[in-house]
Amino acid sequence: MALGALALAFSGWVLVDRKPVRSASWREGGDAILHPSTAVRDSAELAREADRLRAERKRLEARVVALQPRGNYVVVDRGNNRIYLRRGDSVLVDAPASTGSGDILQETVGAKRTWVFDTPPGRFSILSEREDPVWTKPDWAFLEEGLPVPQRLADRRDYGSLGEYALDLGDGYMIHGTLYERLLGRSVTHGCVRVGREPLRAIVSKTRVGTPVFIF
Amino acid sequence: MNAWEEGPALSEDPSRRGRHRPGALMGAAALAVFGVWSLSATLFGTRTVTMGLEGEGLDGEARVENLRRMNRALETELHLAEAGEPYILLDAPGRVLVLKSHGAVLRKFPVLEARVRVTRTPRRGRMAETALDTVWVQGALLPERKKERMVTLSDTVSEPDLSASVAYIPPTPEEEYPTPPAFRIRCSGGVSVLVRPERPSAPSEEESRPALSLPAKMAQWLRLRPWAPGFMRVELTMTEEEAGALYRAYTDGTPLVVSTTNGS
């Protein structure tokens, strides 16, 4: 048994991936870890070097800060079905949300289109804010109910199902209210983000057109 | 002689083979478990890299080196923030794991305890030093979170039955992907993060569930692939809630930076 264990341990050792962690784009300047500075000798030199590095640090920190959103921003956590309104390190709103179900609808006749009901990840911004929004139902909304797709635009109008407000993110995706608050916190939507009445009111009151929205 | 006795694999008396099988299987299983344990113990020994190199109390040269490392960590973050994809920053001294994008904080996961374990071999130990404050890429979650997608064909759908009283309600993320006893984010190049949720000590609903059988426990352990090659492992202890949230939020491939430096 001991021999077997030794053999296993040795085979694991042989099989160990020996590639070092090196990613060309991120390793610039990293060699200093492998070759610690030998140029720095006396305390005056060390002090000068430390001052230079502190100044460099401030410059880098300023560049990172410059990339961050300046005001409030919305964050959607698809894995946990939550929505946040943040401002830097502060969380202003933390509420359950509903995101895409991940289901697939395939059209078996005609154009044979396929829809994947995912909430897309990425950085978006609020393109418009609408009160009492009217939903113009797309084709999939009829196909998944076994109904014929109407030809007239008026037959696609749906009043009330988006709740009090809709924040448009583009490509048909929205953050909006819902009639089905009991489903909040579950992955049930066709890609939009559904939010309860009170958190949505709070978010709308603290955002405007152009506010960044991060979905991960 | 029966025909089936002639084959080399079936050369012994079948009744004897039946008697020996349980013992042989148990022996093989014990050998495998011991082998994996010894392999793990060989590669990940007691050498621990101190996390949180304090600027105060360091002599001049060490302080300068600390500043250099801090700047490198900032440069790394700047690259990631400019790239525009989400990334995870493990701030070991600050005991927090932060998911960020474009420099903006998306979510923070507090860490109760963090430590780095590296292989005992000298060359790999040096490689581990280079892995700190750099980007770990191609991370993969173990055990993986499988998403099952339901496919509906449009011609199979009928009009909804509005009289139906019970509609299907899908599970919450917590129900669909409960917090595993432990999970890993394994990155390319032999580095990984092992997350252990801290279970509440008070009697809870968890304790009322039936205990896992030994095979189930072993299966769970093996899903973490303890034999996978590597030379550096960051071990994190988090609350069960935060660990579960991280497990459900992590997307494979998200770059990870482990920062072990703090202000001077």
Side-chain angles (χ1 to χ4, degrees), chain A residues 171-200:
Chain A
D171 289 334
Y173 296 103
M174 292 176 271
I175 297 171
H176 60 73
T178 180
L179 298 173
Y180 311 103
E181 297 223 358
R182 70 194 172 112
L183 296 179
L184 289 170
R186 299 170 193 270
S187 302
V188 292
T189 79
H190 297 89
C192 285
V193 179
R194 294 183 196 164
V195 187
R197 179 192 297 253
E198 292 307 322
L200 184 59

Side-chain angles (χ1 to χ4, degrees), chain A residues 102-121:
Chain A
D103 292 343
I104 296 168
L105 175 64
Q106 289 180 344
E107 187 181 31
T108 46
V109 292
K112 297 193 172 178
R113 292 165 294 179
T114 298
W115 291 271
V116 181
F117 298 127
D118 280 337
T119 301

Side-chain angles (χ1 to χ4, degrees), chain A:
Chain A
M1 184 181 288
L3 277 176
L6 275 174
L8 265 173
F10 180 72
S11 62
W13 167 251
V14 170
L15 289 170
V16 161
D17 180 2
R18 288 169 187 276
K19 282 182 293 181
V21 176
R22 278 199 177 267
S23 170
S25 45
W26 312 118
R27 288 295 304 154
E28 294 151 15
D31 287 347
I33 299 176
L34 292 171
H35 308 290
S37 170
T38 52
V40 181
R41 287 184 188 126
D42 58 40
S43 58
E45 247 182 298
L46 281 171
R48 275 198 300 277
E49 178 67 358
D51 286 345
R52 188 190 68 75
L53 289 168
R54 284 193 194 96
E56 173 72 3
R57 181 181 160 201
K58 280 189 180 166
R59 187 183 64 79
L60 288 167
E61 281 173 344
R63 286 180 65 189
V64 173
V65 168
L67 291 171
Q68 297 168 357
R70 296 199 191 288
N72 299 340
Y73 57 96
V74 178
V75 177
V76 178
D77 176 351
R78 298 178 304 163
N80 292 288
N81 275 326
R82 296 205 75 82
I83 189 166
Y84 305 96
L85 181 68
R86 297 192 70 111
R87 187 183 184 89
D89 276 347
S90 305
V91 179
L92 309 176
V93 175
D94 174 357
S98 289
T99 57
S101 66
D103 292 343
I104 296 168
L105 175 64
Q106 289 180 344
E107 187 181 31
T108 46
V109 292
K112 297 193 172 178
R113 292 165 294 179
T114 298
W115 291 271
V116 181
F117 298 127
D118 280 337
T119 301
R123 187 186 194 275
F124 302 84
S125 59
I126 296 175
L127 302 178
S128 66
E129 288 188 354
R130 289 182 286 149
E131 192 171 354
D132 296 325
V134 177
W135 184 31
T136 304
K137 292 170 80 171
D139 292 356
W140 54 256
F142 297 95
L143 290 172
E144 75 168 4
E145 290 189 351
L147 300 170
V149 177
Q151 298 304 308
R152 295 172 54 232
L153 191 64
D155 295 335
R156 292 175 178 261
R157 295 277 164 82
D158 184 292
Y159 298 87
S161 62
L162 300 185
E164 287 183 353
Y165 298 99
L167 311 178
D168 185 17
L169 306 179
D171 289 334
Y173 296 103
M174 292 176 271
I175 297 171
H176 60 73
T178 180
L179 298 173
Y180 311 103
E181 297 223 358
R182 70 194 172 112
L183 296 179
L184 289 170
R186 299 170 193 270
S187 302
V188 292
T189 79
H190 297 89
C192 285
V193 179
R194 294 183 196 164
V195 187
R197 179 192 297 253
E198 292 307 322
L200 184 59
R201 284 178 180 169
I203 289 170
V204 167
S205 71
K206 294 181 175 72
T207 57
R208 54 186 170 79
V209 171
T211 296
V213 178
F214 297 92
I215 301 178
F216 71 93

Side-chain angles (χ1 to χ4, degrees), chain B residues 25-94:
Chain B
L25 279 176
M26 282 177 66
L31 185 65
V33 169
F34 183 66
V36 170
W37 172 81
S38 64
L39 174 63
S40 172
T42 304
L43 291 182
F44 292 99
T46 53
R47 183 182 163 192
T48 301
V49 172
T50 307
M51 302 194 82
L53 190 62
E54 296 288 340
E56 291 80 9
L58 295 176
D59 64 18
E61 201 140 343
R63 183 179 284 250
V64 164
E65 189 55 35
N66 188 39
L67 283 166
R68 275 205 194 94
R69 287 179 70 173
M70 289 167 62
N71 285 4
R72 265 196 305 277
L74 267 172
E75 273 176 18
T76 300
E77 185 180 356
L78 187 60
H79 279 299
L80 288 169
E82 286 174 340
E85 295 298 318
Y87 56 95
I88 292 177
L89 181 65
L90 171 57
D91 176 2

